[in-house]
Amino acid sequence: MRKLFLYLAILASIFFTSCATRLGTFTVISTKNIEWSRANEYQRNSNRVLGEDVCHIVVFVPTKGNITIEDAVDNALGKVPGAVALVDAVLRSQSFYIPYVYGKQAFIVEGSALIDPKLVANDDSNETIYYHGYYDKNKEFKLSKIEKTQFDSIQKDIAQKALD
């Protein structure tokens, strides 16, 4: 009976373990262009931000084609308005797999966000602005601001012409 319990414990530990690996620490990590000439204007967020790029494996079929470090960094930066980089970041890789049942692979990045105040001031995510561009008779490009209803109407006309 003891041997059976030991075998089951060993088998369970093999099936239900995951592997988390620390890939490295970074002073600064980013997927965005950073204007270093303005570095003294940037502000460091005191709260740490977590970003992940995850692929679940159901039976043996992955739910995502490829996981990347870039997507994990982008997910973390997207959580803080105006963030251009992560400072003192830690990058980890995580994997877990129960054969023919379920698995998970992930890149996880965690760090403090470096915020560009100009981007925060320009970030008005509640308002969407619509523009209409066209060439006039003199072959000059014209751009005008339009309302959402006009934009929707133009999109509908374009879709209809594509079908014809």
Side-chain angles (χ1 to χ4, degrees), residues 57-101:
I57 303 166
V58 180
V59 182
F60 57 86
V61 179
T63 58
K64 186 175 182 181
N66 192 15
I67 59 171
T68 64
I69 296 169
E70 291 84 4
D71 286 344
V73 173
D74 284 340
N75 289 338
L77 294 176
K79 292 179 179 180
V80 180
V84 293
L86 294 176
V87 181
D88 297 332
V90 177
L91 177 64
R92 291 184 177 86
S93 171
Q94 184 181 51
S95 62
F96 170 78
Y97 188 63
I98 300 172
Y100 306 111
V101 178

Tab-separated table of all heavy atoms in Angstrom, residues 57-101:
chain	number	residue	atom	x	y	z
A	57	ILE	N	-2.756	25.099	-24.355
A	57	ILE	CA	-2.729	23.905	-25.199
A	57	ILE	C	-3.843	22.979	-24.700
A	57	ILE	O	-3.776	22.474	-23.584
A	57	ILE	CB	-1.367	23.200	-25.123
A	57	ILE	CG1	-0.263	24.174	-25.518
A	57	ILE	CG2	-1.357	21.964	-26.010
A	57	ILE	CD1	1.118	23.720	-25.162
A	58	VAL	N	-4.859	22.812	-25.522
A	58	VAL	CA	-5.992	21.968	-25.171
A	58	VAL	C	-5.839	20.661	-25.940
A	58	VAL	O	-5.765	20.670	-27.167
A	58	VAL	CB	-7.331	22.664	-25.513
A	58	VAL	CG1	-8.498	21.775	-25.140
A	58	VAL	CG2	-7.414	24.013	-24.822
A	59	VAL	N	-5.789	19.570	-25.231
A	59	VAL	CA	-5.455	18.239	-25.743
A	59	VAL	C	-4.042	18.325	-26.321
A	59	VAL	O	-3.076	18.182	-25.604
A	59	VAL	CB	-6.500	17.710	-26.733
A	59	VAL	CG1	-6.133	16.316	-27.202
A	59	VAL	CG2	-7.893	17.704	-26.114
A	60	PHE	N	-3.893	18.600	-27.603
A	60	PHE	CA	-2.572	18.867	-28.160
A	60	PHE	C	-2.625	20.028	-29.157
A	60	PHE	O	-1.695	20.269	-29.906
A	60	PHE	CB	-1.958	17.617	-28.814
A	60	PHE	CG	-2.810	17.026	-29.892
A	60	PHE	CD1	-2.735	17.486	-31.186
A	60	PHE	CD2	-3.690	16.000	-29.594
A	60	PHE	CE1	-3.530	16.943	-32.172
A	60	PHE	CE2	-4.484	15.451	-30.579
A	60	PHE	CZ	-4.402	15.923	-31.878
A	61	VAL	N	-3.726	20.793	-29.137
A	61	VAL	CA	-3.931	21.902	-30.066
A	61	VAL	C	-3.661	23.233	-29.350
A	61	VAL	O	-4.339	23.566	-28.385
A	61	VAL	CB	-5.377	21.890	-30.610
A	61	VAL	CG1	-5.595	23.048	-31.557
A	61	VAL	CG2	-5.683	20.564	-31.275
A	62	PRO	N	-2.667	23.999	-29.823
A	62	PRO	CA	-2.398	25.305	-29.203
A	62	PRO	C	-3.455	26.333	-29.603
A	62	PRO	O	-3.984	26.308	-30.713
A	62	PRO	CB	-1.025	25.691	-29.760
A	62	PRO	CG	-0.871	24.898	-31.004
A	62	PRO	CD	-1.697	23.663	-30.858
A	63	THR	N	-3.772	27.255	-28.679
A	63	THR	CA	-4.768	28.287	-28.956
A	63	THR	C	-4.158	29.511	-29.621
A	63	THR	O	-4.878	30.389	-30.058
A	63	THR	CB	-5.454	28.737	-27.657
A	63	THR	OG1	-4.451	29.233	-26.754
A	63	THR	CG2	-6.218	27.597	-27.027
A	64	LYS	N	-2.844	29.562	-29.692
A	64	LYS	CA	-2.149	30.688	-30.309
A	64	LYS	C	-0.936	30.137	-31.032
A	64	LYS	O	-0.288	29.212	-30.554
A	64	LYS	CB	-1.738	31.693	-29.226
A	64	LYS	CG	-1.136	32.953	-29.759
A	64	LYS	CD	-0.878	33.935	-28.635
A	64	LYS	CE	-0.315	35.212	-29.241
A	64	LYS	NZ	-0.017	36.196	-28.230
A	65	GLY	N	-0.622	30.738	-32.165
A	65	GLY	CA	0.478	30.231	-32.969
A	65	GLY	C	1.842	30.385	-32.330
A	65	GLY	O	2.639	29.465	-32.310
A	66	ASN	N	2.125	31.551	-31.788
A	66	ASN	CA	3.462	31.817	-31.296
A	66	ASN	C	3.392	32.833	-30.164
A	66	ASN	O	2.682	33.826	-30.279
A	66	ASN	CB	4.312	32.364	-32.449
A	66	ASN	CG	5.780	32.400	-32.123
A	66	ASN	OD1	6.224	31.782	-31.173
A	66	ASN	ND2	6.532	33.121	-32.920
A	67	ILE	N	4.117	32.596	-29.103
A	67	ILE	CA	4.189	33.587	-28.033
A	67	ILE	C	5.520	34.323	-28.159
A	67	ILE	O	6.519	33.737	-28.555
A	67	ILE	CB	4.034	32.954	-26.630
A	67	ILE	CG1	5.105	31.910	-26.365
A	67	ILE	CG2	2.649	32.382	-26.456
A	67	ILE	CD1	5.139	31.419	-24.940
A	68	THR	N	5.486	35.627	-27.863
A	68	THR	CA	6.700	36.423	-28.000
A	68	THR	C	6.901	37.321	-26.784
A	68	THR	O	5.942	37.714	-26.118
A	68	THR	CB	6.650	37.314	-29.255
A	68	THR	OG1	5.575	38.252	-29.112
A	68	THR	CG2	6.466	36.502	-30.519
A	69	ILE	N	8.138	37.655	-26.547
A	69	ILE	CA	8.484	38.595	-25.481
A	69	ILE	C	7.929	39.972	-25.822
A	69	ILE	O	7.452	40.692	-24.947
A	69	ILE	CB	10.009	38.632	-25.288
A	69	ILE	CG1	10.500	37.266	-24.805
A	69	ILE	CG2	10.416	39.734	-24.326
A	69	ILE	CD1	12.003	37.095	-24.836
A	70	GLU	N	7.953	40.330	-27.098
A	70	GLU	CA	7.454	41.638	-27.527
A	70	GLU	C	5.984	41.823	-27.164
A	70	GLU	O	5.585	42.887	-26.694
A	70	GLU	CB	7.640	41.825	-29.041
A	70	GLU	CG	9.075	41.966	-29.470
A	70	GLU	CD	9.782	40.637	-29.672
A	70	GLU	OE1	9.130	39.563	-29.558
A	70	GLU	OE2	10.996	40.650	-29.913
A	71	ASP	N	5.180	40.798	-27.375
A	71	ASP	CA	3.758	40.898	-27.027
A	71	ASP	C	3.555	41.025	-25.517
A	71	ASP	O	2.677	41.755	-25.066
A	71	ASP	CB	2.979	39.690	-27.553
A	71	ASP	CG	2.777	39.736	-29.060
A	71	ASP	OD1	2.955	40.818	-29.649
A	71	ASP	OD2	2.450	38.685	-29.645
A	72	ALA	N	4.377	40.345	-24.736
A	72	ALA	CA	4.277	40.466	-23.283
A	72	ALA	C	4.620	41.886	-22.844
A	72	ALA	O	3.930	42.471	-22.006
A	72	ALA	CB	5.207	39.460	-22.604
A	73	VAL	N	5.670	42.469	-23.434
A	73	VAL	CA	6.055	43.851	-23.101
A	73	VAL	C	4.966	44.819	-23.557
A	73	VAL	O	4.593	45.737	-22.816
A	73	VAL	CB	7.426	44.210	-23.724
A	73	VAL	CG1	7.742	45.686	-23.535
A	73	VAL	CG2	8.534	43.354	-23.120
A	74	ASP	N	4.438	44.620	-24.765
A	74	ASP	CA	3.352	45.486	-25.256
A	74	ASP	C	2.128	45.418	-24.350
A	74	ASP	O	1.488	46.435	-24.091
A	74	ASP	CB	2.957	45.101	-26.686
A	74	ASP	CG	3.949	45.591	-27.719
A	74	ASP	OD1	4.717	46.534	-27.418
A	74	ASP	OD2	3.965	45.029	-28.828
A	75	ASN	N	1.783	44.224	-23.867
A	75	ASN	CA	0.636	44.084	-22.961
A	75	ASN	C	0.866	44.838	-21.657
A	75	ASN	O	-0.050	45.460	-21.122
A	75	ASN	CB	0.350	42.611	-22.675
A	75	ASN	CG	-0.232	41.899	-23.873
A	75	ASN	OD1	-0.788	42.512	-24.764
A	75	ASN	ND2	-0.092	40.596	-23.903
A	76	ALA	N	2.087	44.794	-21.143
A	76	ALA	CA	2.390	45.522	-19.907
A	76	ALA	C	2.344	47.024	-20.142
A	76	ALA	O	1.754	47.769	-19.349
A	76	ALA	CB	3.759	45.112	-19.377
A	77	LEU	N	2.936	47.501	-21.240
A	77	LEU	CA	2.944	48.934	-21.533
A	77	LEU	C	1.540	49.455	-21.809
A	77	LEU	O	1.216	50.598	-21.483
A	77	LEU	CB	3.857	49.238	-22.724
A	77	LEU	CG	5.345	48.992	-22.505
A	77	LEU	CD1	6.119	49.239	-23.798
A	77	LEU	CD2	5.895	49.840	-21.380
A	78	GLY	N	0.692	48.630	-22.388
A	78	GLY	CA	-0.668	49.035	-22.697
A	78	GLY	C	-1.535	49.246	-21.463
A	78	GLY	O	-2.578	49.884	-21.540
A	79	LYS	N	-1.113	48.745	-20.335
A	79	LYS	CA	-1.892	48.899	-19.106
A	79	LYS	C	-1.719	50.262	-18.451
A	79	LYS	O	-2.504	50.632	-17.588
A	79	LYS	CB	-1.511	47.807	-18.104
A	79	LYS	CG	-1.942	46.427	-18.549
A	79	LYS	CD	-1.533	45.383	-17.539
A	79	LYS	CE	-2.004	43.999	-17.995
A	79	LYS	NZ	-1.621	42.963	-17.036
A	80	VAL	N	-0.665	50.995	-18.841
A	80	VAL	CA	-0.391	52.303	-18.240
A	80	VAL	C	-0.401	53.355	-19.343
A	80	VAL	O	0.424	53.290	-20.261
A	80	VAL	CB	0.975	52.307	-17.518
A	80	VAL	CG1	1.258	53.664	-16.908
A	80	VAL	CG2	1.027	51.223	-16.466
A	81	PRO	N	-1.308	54.329	-19.296
A	81	PRO	CA	-1.349	55.372	-20.326
A	81	PRO	C	-0.033	56.159	-20.371
A	81	PRO	O	0.477	56.584	-19.341
A	81	PRO	CB	-2.496	56.281	-19.884
A	81	PRO	CG	-3.329	55.438	-18.981
A	81	PRO	CD	-2.387	54.487	-18.327
A	82	GLY	N	0.516	56.297	-21.566
A	82	GLY	CA	1.745	57.065	-21.755
A	82	GLY	C	3.020	56.291	-21.484
A	82	GLY	O	4.112	56.849	-21.570
A	83	ALA	N	2.926	55.011	-21.171
A	83	ALA	CA	4.121	54.217	-20.869
A	83	ALA	C	4.928	53.972	-22.140
A	83	ALA	O	4.375	53.616	-23.178
A	83	ALA	CB	3.731	52.895	-20.233
A	84	VAL	N	6.241	54.185	-22.045
A	84	VAL	CA	7.128	53.956	-23.188
A	84	VAL	C	8.117	52.831	-22.926
A	84	VAL	O	8.724	52.308	-23.852
A	84	VAL	CB	7.884	55.240	-23.593
A	84	VAL	CG1	6.929	56.275	-24.143
A	84	VAL	CG2	8.692	55.794	-22.443
A	85	ALA	N	8.303	52.455	-21.651
A	85	ALA	CA	9.261	51.404	-21.310
A	85	ALA	C	8.964	50.864	-19.923
A	85	ALA	O	8.216	51.463	-19.149
A	85	ALA	CB	10.688	51.955	-21.356
A	86	LEU	N	9.569	49.716	-19.633
A	86	LEU	CA	9.543	49.167	-18.287
A	86	LEU	C	10.947	49.285	-17.710
A	86	LEU	O	11.934	48.997	-18.387
A	86	LEU	CB	9.111	47.697	-18.302
A	86	LEU	CG	7.690	47.414	-18.748
A	86	LEU	CD1	7.451	45.906	-18.810
A	86	LEU	CD2	6.685	48.061	-17.817
A	87	VAL	N	11.020	49.718	-16.457
A	87	VAL	CA	12.294	49.902	-15.776
A	87	VAL	C	12.434	48.817	-14.721
A	87	VAL	O	11.456	48.431	-14.083
A	87	VAL	CB	12.345	51.302	-15.134
A	87	VAL	CG1	13.662	51.529	-14.428
A	87	VAL	CG2	12.096	52.371	-16.171
A	88	ASP	N	13.648	48.321	-14.523
A	88	ASP	CA	13.925	47.249	-13.562
A	88	ASP	C	12.982	46.074	-13.797
A	88	ASP	O	12.316	45.577	-12.879
A	88	ASP	CB	13.803	47.757	-12.117
A	88	ASP	CG	14.823	48.836	-11.800
A	88	ASP	OD1	15.890	48.821	-12.434
A	88	ASP	OD2	14.543	49.681	-10.942
A	89	ALA	N	12.946	45.628	-15.021
A	89	ALA	CA	12.006	44.580	-15.421
A	89	ALA	C	12.601	43.190	-15.212
A	89	ALA	O	13.814	42.985	-15.310
A	89	ALA	CB	11.627	44.758	-16.883
A	90	VAL	N	11.717	42.246	-14.936
A	90	VAL	CA	12.081	40.840	-14.790
A	90	VAL	C	11.299	40.067	-15.851
A	90	VAL	O	10.088	40.226	-15.979
A	90	VAL	CB	11.730	40.311	-13.381
A	90	VAL	CG1	12.042	38.830	-13.278
A	90	VAL	CG2	12.469	41.090	-12.321
A	91	LEU	N	11.999	39.229	-16.603
A	91	LEU	CA	11.377	38.429	-17.658
A	91	LEU	C	11.414	36.963	-17.253
A	91	LEU	O	12.469	36.452	-16.865
A	91	LEU	CB	12.106	38.633	-18.982
A	91	LEU	CG	11.626	37.811	-20.164
A	91	LEU	CD1	10.189	38.180	-20.522
A	91	LEU	CD2	12.540	38.007	-21.347
A	92	ARG	N	10.244	36.314	-17.342
A	92	ARG	CA	10.145	34.899	-16.988
A	92	ARG	C	9.474	34.123	-18.119
A	92	ARG	O	8.663	34.667	-18.854
A	92	ARG	CB	9.314	34.725	-15.718
A	92	ARG	CG	9.972	35.250	-14.472
A	92	ARG	CD	9.120	34.937	-13.236
A	92	ARG	NE	9.770	35.373	-12.027
A	92	ARG	CZ	9.692	36.604	-11.522
A	92	ARG	NH1	8.973	37.508	-12.143
A	92	ARG	NH2	10.328	36.927	-10.422
A	93	SER	N	9.801	32.850	-18.167
A	93	SER	CA	9.133	31.916	-19.066
A	93	SER	C	8.454	30.880	-18.193
A	93	SER	O	9.032	30.419	-17.208
A	93	SER	CB	10.158	31.249	-19.977
A	93	SER	OG	9.560	30.205	-20.705
A	94	GLN	N	7.234	30.516	-18.555
A	94	GLN	CA	6.494	29.549	-17.759
A	94	GLN	C	5.885	28.505	-18.683
A	94	GLN	O	5.355	28.848	-19.747
A	94	GLN	CB	5.389	30.252	-16.973
A	94	GLN	CG	4.628	29.357	-16.037
A	94	GLN	CD	3.539	30.121	-15.315
A	94	GLN	OE1	2.744	30.807	-15.944
A	94	GLN	NE2	3.514	29.999	-14.001
A	95	SER	N	5.972	27.250	-18.285
A	95	SER	CA	5.338	26.192	-19.071
A	95	SER	C	4.752	25.144	-18.127
A	95	SER	O	5.259	24.921	-17.032
A	95	SER	CB	6.345	25.538	-20.018
A	95	SER	OG	7.381	24.932	-19.287
A	96	PHE	N	3.681	24.558	-18.592
A	96	PHE	CA	2.953	23.557	-17.819
A	96	PHE	C	2.246	22.663	-18.828
A	96	PHE	O	1.645	23.157	-19.780
A	96	PHE	CB	1.938	24.267	-16.907
A	96	PHE	CG	0.962	23.350	-16.247
A	96	PHE	CD1	1.335	22.598	-15.155
A	96	PHE	CD2	-0.336	23.240	-16.714
A	96	PHE	CE1	0.436	21.754	-14.535
A	96	PHE	CE2	-1.239	22.402	-16.105
A	96	PHE	CZ	-0.850	21.650	-15.002
A	97	TYR	N	2.316	21.355	-18.633
A	97	TYR	CA	1.663	20.467	-19.595
A	97	TYR	C	1.296	19.140	-18.943
A	97	TYR	O	2.138	18.478	-18.340
A	97	TYR	CB	2.579	20.229	-20.793
A	97	TYR	CG	1.920	19.478	-21.919
A	97	TYR	CD1	0.827	20.015	-22.594
A	97	TYR	CD2	2.373	18.235	-22.312
A	97	TYR	CE1	0.214	19.329	-23.624
A	97	TYR	CE2	1.771	17.547	-23.346
A	97	TYR	CZ	0.693	18.097	-23.995
A	97	TYR	OH	0.090	17.420	-25.008
A	98	ILE	N	0.041	18.789	-19.058
A	98	ILE	CA	-0.435	17.453	-18.711
A	98	ILE	C	-0.710	16.788	-20.054
A	98	ILE	O	-1.592	17.239	-20.793
A	98	ILE	CB	-1.728	17.494	-17.870
A	98	ILE	CG1	-1.498	18.254	-16.565
A	98	ILE	CG2	-2.220	16.074	-17.593
A	98	ILE	CD1	-2.774	18.510	-15.782
A	99	PRO	N	0.052	15.769	-20.415
A	99	PRO	CA	-0.067	15.201	-21.757
A	99	PRO	C	-1.506	14.852	-22.148
A	99	PRO	O	-2.225	14.217	-21.384
A	99	PRO	CB	0.807	13.949	-21.687
A	99	PRO	CG	1.788	14.246	-20.598
A	99	PRO	CD	1.050	15.085	-19.603
A	100	TYR	N	-1.888	15.330	-23.318
A	100	TYR	CA	-3.197	15.071	-23.931
A	100	TYR	C	-4.376	15.604	-23.125
A	100	TYR	O	-5.497	15.181	-23.331
A	100	TYR	CB	-3.385	13.580	-24.235
A	100	TYR	CG	-2.276	13.035	-25.062
A	100	TYR	CD1	-1.371	12.129	-24.525
A	100	TYR	CD2	-2.096	13.449	-26.367
A	100	TYR	CE1	-0.322	11.633	-25.285
A	100	TYR	CE2	-1.054	12.960	-27.132
A	100	TYR	CZ	-0.171	12.052	-26.589
A	100	TYR	OH	0.860	11.589	-27.336
A	101	VAL	N	-4.128	16.535	-22.203
A	101	VAL	CA	-5.219	17.128	-21.442
A	101	VAL	C	-5.174	18.650	-21.565
A	101	VAL	O	-6.035	19.259	-22.178
A	101	VAL	CB	-5.174	16.701	-19.956
A	101	VAL	CG1	-6.292	17.366	-19.167
A	101	VAL	CG2	-5.255	15.191	-19.820
